[in-house]
Amino acid sequence: MKPEITIYTDGACRGNPGDGGWGALLISGTNEKSICGGEKNTTNNRMEISAVIFALKALKQRSSVELWTDSQYVQKGVT
């Protein structure tokens, strides 16, 4: 049985392009892990998708994932 993971992601940028950051919260049962990062001279969309990419890279095994994002760019890209 695959572990069930819920992932919440967000990314933002001050200016577009400008300094940006991303964050993700991974939840499995009672376990939580938060990850974050950022870059200079980047875009909002790049930070939004980076949050998802790094969250998925953080998984240690194949899992059933429920992904939450406020980004239409990410939503439309995934579906």
Side-chain angles (χ1 to χ4, degrees):
M1 184 170 157
K2 293 181 194 174
E4 294 183 8
I5 312 278
T6 302
I7 300 174
Y8 297 93
T9 64
D10 201 10
C13 195
R14 179 171 288 181
N16 205 16
D19 293 346
W22 60 266
L25 176 64
L26 296 83
I27 303 170
S28 178
T30 59
N31 298 319
E32 293 185 3
K33 179 178 184 176
S34 60
I35 58 174
C36 61
E39 299 211 21
K40 294 196 176 289
N41 196 35
T42 190
T43 65
N44 186 66
N45 283 342
R46 184 172 179 207
M47 293 297 92
E48 293 281 5
I49 198 73
S50 291
V52 175
I53 291 168
F54 283 102
L56 294 175
K57 281 185 174 184
L59 299 177
K60 296 183 176 168
Q61 58 185 307
R62 290 182 70 109
S63 305
S64 175
V65 174
E66 180 178 21
L67 177 68
W68 291 83
T69 179
D70 64 349
S71 167
Q72 286 189 16
Y73 177 75
V74 171
Q75 289 173 0
K76 290 179 180 180
V78 172
T79 59

